[in-house]
Amino acid sequence: MKKLLKVALTTFFAISLLFSGQNNDLKKKAIKIIRESIVADTHEDTPTTIYRGKSITIRRSEGQIDFPRMLEGGLNAPVFAIWIPNKLDEKNPEVYALKVMAATLKEIYKNEKVSEIAYSSDDIKRIVESGKIAITFSLENSSVFHSPEYVDIFYKLGIRMASLTHMSTNYLSDSSTDKEKWGGISPLGEEIIRRMNKVGMIIDVSHLSDKAVEDILEISSAPIIASHSCARALAEHPRNLTDKLIKAIAEKGGLVDVNFASFYLDGTLRDKYKKISKKYKKMKEELDKKYQNGGKEYEEKIKELKEMQKKEYYSIKPDLSIVVKHIKYIKNLVGIDHVGIGSDFEGIGNSAPRGLEDITKLPDLVVEMLKAGFSESDIKKILGLNFLRLYKEVEKKKTINL
Ligand SMILES: [Zn+2]
């Protein structure tokens, strides 16, 4: 019996060692691939974080992106989104946009030894090759584009990618998460799209209604990007893209970059969250009833309850392999040249999948890609080469050199 146990234990340790060895090898391979790649995460809300007074010069205990963590995870070509809340659409959104840009520039200048702003696809390549982080600016919600001339102004200021709106329908386009007003994009929205083509600004369709994306596909002379969107076939959500739209974007030479928010990756999550919230709301109500005068014991019980709720939320989150599931789905649908990553970090709270809590976990995501059978050249395309190719094609189509 003892002998049997010894054999069993030895076998167990041998297998464990084998597995951890394999994982170590995969991790080493993942890190090597990242170090050799242009890693272009095409949507990060870092400028909003900076504008709200948080420095990204030092490593923070919250959020997902700062310079130390970008360097650790190997992210070298992020697209920083200047997000304009829709509530400012009618209230001088350009003033807000400029303030966010100014705050972000200040932070980048503080880190000029490790980062530089990229104004073209060649810039990204040059900056990354020099060992620095190449930061591209985009706009999320273009309510600053009051007329086509504003596209020129913001291009001159450094904006190289823009989406017409965000969560609400505005004067340029219908949003996927609001009521329909234009049945797609507005007449001014159409003028803006044409101007973006002329000056070489990348058109981003994330957040737009299905019809708005269809309109843009018809109007745009250049390929387009969905900078942070998932596949609706895998997770039902109006923010995600239908197979029909993914195919149409790819046929035009465009790109769909997968969002890391669990709510977009897993269509069942919202209902599960609601159920848990309801359960804990009821439990809290019972405590309120029992301890009507409050007190220390009550406070302790509430604290306990909150901890339990947090743990339960965490336990139902998908793990990082779900991101690869979406990438693989899009690849199988339209080919490896039309898929990438757009984390939406700093804009999705703590809702990224388990194991992908911040940008330092990028190598683990690449390990998942390797496990799912993606080749080294596939992964380099997903990480950044596809974005670079799209960017170059948009630049080729421009007819005005600003
Ligand atoms: Zn967004």
Side-chain angles (χ1 to χ4, degrees), residues 43 45 83 140 166-167 206-207 227-228 239 259 264 344 347-348:
H43 188 94
D45 284 300
W83 166 63
E140 184 171 38
H166 185 232
M167 302 297 275
S206 283
H207 286 285
S227 71
H228 57 307
R239 262 287 277 112
N259 193 309
Y264 298 144
D344 211 355
I348 55 170

Side-chain angles (χ1 to χ4, degrees), residues 60-109:
R60 292 175 302 138
S61 58
E62 60 198 15
Q64 298 87 29
I65 305 241
D66 44 53
F67 280 110
R69 283 186 286 178
M70 282 193 266
L71 292 168
E72 188 186 321
L75 174 65
N76 54 27
V79 177
F80 277 11
I82 310 294
W83 166 63
I84 300 162
N86 280 119
K87 64 177 184 202
L88 299 178
D89 285 350
E90 313 289 335
K91 296 177 190 161
N92 303 326
E94 51 286 340
V95 175
Y96 179 82
L98 290 179
K99 281 182 181 172
V100 178
M101 284 179 82
T104 310
L105 284 177
K106 198 172 169 187
E107 198 69 14
I108 295 171
Y109 295 154

Side-chain angles (χ1 to χ4, degrees), residues 174-176 180 183-184 205 207-217 232 237-242 245:
D174 288 341
S175 166
S176 62
E180 202 177 69
V205 295
H207 286 285
L208 303 195
S209 74
D210 292 0
K211 279 187 190 161
V213 183
E214 281 170 18
D215 280 356
I216 291 173
L217 281 163
R232 205 181 294 172
H237 194 293
R239 262 287 277 112
N240 291 341
L241 294 165
T242 61
L245 287 178

